[in-house]
Amino acid sequence: MDTARIDWHARAAALAFDGRAFIDGARVAAADGETFACRSPIDGRSLCEVARGRQADIDAAVASARRAFDDGRWAARAPAVRKKVLLRFAENILAAREELALLETLDMGKPIQYSLSVDVPAAARCIAWYAEAVDKLYDEVAPTGPQALALVTREPMGVIGAIVPWNYPMIMAAWKLGPALAAGNSVVLKPSEKSPLTALRLAELALDAGLPPGVLNVVPGHGPEAGEALALHADVDAIGFTGSTRTGRRMLEYAGRSNLKRVYNELGGKSAFIVFPDFDDLGRAAKTAAGAMYFNQGESCNAPSRLLVHEDIADEFVQAVVAQLPRYAPGNPLDAATVMGALVDEAQMSTVLGYIEAGRAEGAACLAGGQRVRAETGGLYVEPTLFDGVRHEMRIAQEEIFGPVLSVIRFRDEAEALSLANGTSYGLQASVWSSNINRAHRVARALKAGTVHVNQYDEDDITVPFGGYKQSGNGRDKSLHAFDKYTELKTTWVRVDGA
Ligand code: NAD
């Protein structure tokens, strides 16, 4: 069916929800029967009750994952077999795309057009890409002397705890599940309490594809309950975490307090978008800045939330960005034309509005937006907001807001631009816009960020690593490098007599 003609409101009204956990291949209630309400930020309505996972549920899920790992029902299968199952899993995701997109939109408020065109295909492609990769990886024989043979092999780690956020629930889950499952691990996935529904459905689709029971368990619940129990668990070998830098610190503490499990943190950002006056298409740069900033309601870890503009072009450039803003006026995410949807929950909305207040109080000029809108719908919508006259030390220049708020900072020369760009605790992403090839390369090299874009911000692919410098995290999601997180390297020395 032509998806542009779907009546998503009608589909939403007819959709069935299941908020139970997924443990050992089956849907189950929490051990103590407790639930929490899952509300849609679109209009505040209750979607369903979700199992409130706690210690007992995490214990059951980890035990199931451990049994599945130890008996080799998945880890000991040939890579080509794992590939087939995971390719079927990816196909199942695509076959369920309308249902998954709708669940994602209802649960966290992003426009249905993007759930459908971005989130579902990206999650499927990620799973398929790791499936395709896994039977093409070779181990190593080290170049030692003739009297011995040294094999360097990769082995799955065991039980992986995956703890993910709510801004791209399916994609973040897929970035963990793809490499972890392809490598042969078992996984316990803890989705955000703000967006648990698609992760639970993914587990069913994986089972239908032939993933043996116990290899993938999903336990919804709150961070300090299910999340903490999983990260502290003595039988979990590694945590693949994506979320805030604040929680990332805790992950390291949990590992220190328990079994020194590996911790891979993918954390926050305050990415710089640096525009030099020598760039020859400032109109495209302005359009890209707005598009990247306000996509997903500004709830993207790599949103270019600091716009650094050379003072000679700043007035003109800022006006060009402001001119883009009406396109991002919030609308009902179930309407096919909506480009910006609802913020995920009340807490996130009040954080965003609090930063807008802080920006005003610290003396920045709010040139556009700054208000909650559509409150009469019961939904959580904030206008695309732009602050000019931001100084580097202001909170809106230093702290991650994670909402549709852009801060403009002016600079005089290249050295100042670099010092501003690198002058936060984050280092996730950055971009430089210049038609001078030497400057573009020079600045790109000097930026302390896991990903640097030159004269664009949109390129993205599963083939490239994603992650941060400094307090934006460690390790990398995506690409073959992600296998490093979910495998151990083993050296096996074999004596060769008579050589
Ligand atoms: P968060 O840290 O509040 O929560 C992330 C996950 O951790 C959730 O599942 C949550 O339940 C769990 N959690 C929270 N407190 C916990 C605790 N005390 N113990 C154990 N688990 C706990 O982050 P969020 O608000 O869900 O997500 C937004 C953050 O994620 C932003 O900082 C954003 O930049 C970051 N993010 C980073 C990337 C990346 O790849 N670097 C991608 C997406 C989002």
Side-chain angles (χ1 to χ4, degrees):
M1 179 173 184
D2 177 5
T3 52
R5 293 179 29 221
I6 292 175
D7 178 348
W8 292 103
H9 297 268
R11 289 271 185 104
L15 192 64
F17 301 93
D18 188 346
R20 289 175 298 165
F22 189 91
I23 299 175
D24 213 24
R27 288 285 202 152
V28 287
D32 61 8
E34 285 220 25
T35 59
F36 62 94
C38 178
R39 293 190 176 285
S40 176
I42 295 177
D43 51 13
R45 94 182 131 107
S46 176
L47 297 174
C48 63
E49 289 294 312
V50 174
R52 182 169 177 165
R54 288 198 169 101
Q55 186 74 52
D57 309 287
I58 290 292
D59 286 348
V62 173
S64 161
R66 175 58 62 192
R67 274 193 308 278
F69 185 76
D70 286 351
D71 71 15
R73 69 184 82 162
W74 178 244
R77 306 304 298 276
V81 174
R82 297 203 296 269
K83 166 176 144 174
K84 263 195 190 149
V85 171
L86 292 176
L87 284 177
R88 271 201 301 268
F89 179 23
E91 281 164 18
N92 286 355
I93 293 172
L94 289 177
R97 60 200 268 263
E98 289 165 16
E99 180 200 354
L100 288 169
L102 190 53
L103 280 176
E104 199 85 312
T105 286
L106 288 169
D107 209 359
M108 63 71 64
K110 70 174 68 192
I112 188 73
Q113 63 161 319
Y114 299 131
S115 299
L116 205 54
S117 67
V118 176
D119 295 74
V120 175
R125 172 154 158 75
C126 173
I127 301 293
W129 194 84
Y130 285 102
E132 288 286 3
V134 75
D135 66 347
K136 295 160 192 77
L137 296 174
Y138 290 73
D139 288 324
E140 302 164 20
V141 177
T144 58
Q147 68 288 354
L149 184 65
L151 309 175
V152 182
T153 51
R154 277 183 187 280
E155 297 186 345
M157 273 181 176
V159 176
I160 307 298
I163 302 180
V164 295
W166 46 264
N167 60 334
Y168 295 96
M170 259 183 295
I171 296 178
M172 293 300 105
W175 285 7
K176 313 296 182 203
L177 297 181
L181 293 175
N185 297 285
S186 297
V187 177
V188 178
L189 171 63
K190 209 296 281 174
S192 170
E193 56 274 44
K194 302 182 185 196
S195 62
L197 300 179
T198 47
L200 292 165
R201 194 67 189 100
L202 286 181
E204 290 178 324
L205 296 172
L207 187 79
D208 289 349
L211 193 72
V215 176
L216 171 57
N217 302 272
V218 181
V219 182
H222 295 287
E225 297 175 0
E228 178 168 320
L230 182 59
L232 273 174
H233 205 290
D235 207 19
V236 169
D237 297 289
I239 289 286
F241 174 73
T242 299
S244 64
T245 296
R246 185 187 61 253
T247 311
R249 269 180 224 289
R250 285 185 178 263
M251 293 297 146
L252 295 168
E253 287 172 22
Y254 295 142
R257 278 166 50 199
S258 55
N259 59 346
L260 286 180
K261 56 179 69 67
R262 311 285 185 268
V263 174
Y264 304 105
N265 275 330
E266 303 291 345
L267 310 176
K270 195 73 188 173
S271 301
F273 189 106
I274 312 169
V275 188
F276 286 97
D278 60 24
F279 185 62
D280 63 7
D281 189 352
L282 291 172
R284 180 167 73 80
K287 202 170 168 196
T288 306
M293 177 64 234
Y294 301 113
F295 184 71
N296 212 46
Q297 302 72 244
E299 297 165 329
S300 298
C301 53
N302 58 348
S305 53
R306 290 184 304 147
L307 179 54
L308 311 186
V309 196
H310 191 277
E311 58 188 10
D312 287 355
I313 53 160
D315 287 340
E316 174 199 352
F317 192 79
V318 168
Q319 279 317 311
V321 177
V322 168
Q324 294 288 325
L325 266 52
R327 178 172 148 65
Y328 299 94
N332 189 317
L334 292 174
D335 294 341
T338 293
V339 170
M340 193 156 101
L343 299 185
V344 71
D345 69 356
E346 297 261 0
Q348 188 60 20
M349 186 176 70
S350 71
T351 300
V352 170
L353 293 174
Y355 274 111
I356 292 172
E357 273 318 298
R360 289 195 171 108
E362 287 185 288
C366 186
L367 295 195
Q371 302 296 333
R372 178 181 184 184
V373 287
R374 297 171 52 81
E376 71 288 355
T377 65
L380 310 170
Y381 302 87
V382 172
E383 293 175 301
T385 299
L386 184 146
F387 277 102
D388 197 1
V390 176
R391 291 192 315 278
H392 183 57
E393 63 282 5
M394 290 179 180
R395 286 182 62 207
I396 58 169
Q398 290 292 324
E399 298 174 21
E400 185 182 45
I401 300 172
F402 220 55
V405 183
L406 178 59
S407 299
V408 181
I409 307 176
R410 295 162 187 239
F411 67 83
R412 276 184 305 279
D413 55 27
E414 188 177 311
E416 188 184 19
L418 268 173
S419 145
L420 292 168
N422 287 334
T424 75
S425 57
Y426 295 109
L428 191 58
Q429 194 157 311
S431 77
V432 48
W433 295 73
S434 169
S435 293
N436 175 333
I437 191 169
N438 293 309
R439 165 175 279 157
H441 278 290
R442 211 165 45 230
V443 172
R445 278 189 191 167
L447 285 166
K448 302 266 180 271
T451 301
V452 175
H453 293 276
V454 177
N455 299 341
Q456 56 87 33
Y457 208 88
D458 302 331
E459 287 297 333
D460 185 29
D461 199 56
I462 190 68
T463 55
V464 297
F466 186 92
Y469 282 31
K470 300 194 284 184
Q471 292 182 38
S472 287
N474 65 302
R476 294 292 182 266
D477 277 333
K478 301 167 61 189
S479 82
L480 294 180
H481 293 279
F483 280 120
D484 294 343
K485 307 206 298 195
Y486 305 116
T487 53
E488 288 285 10
L489 269 189
K490 176 180 279 182
T491 301
T492 307
W493 283 100
V494 181
R495 180 169 143 162
V496 181
D497 282 338

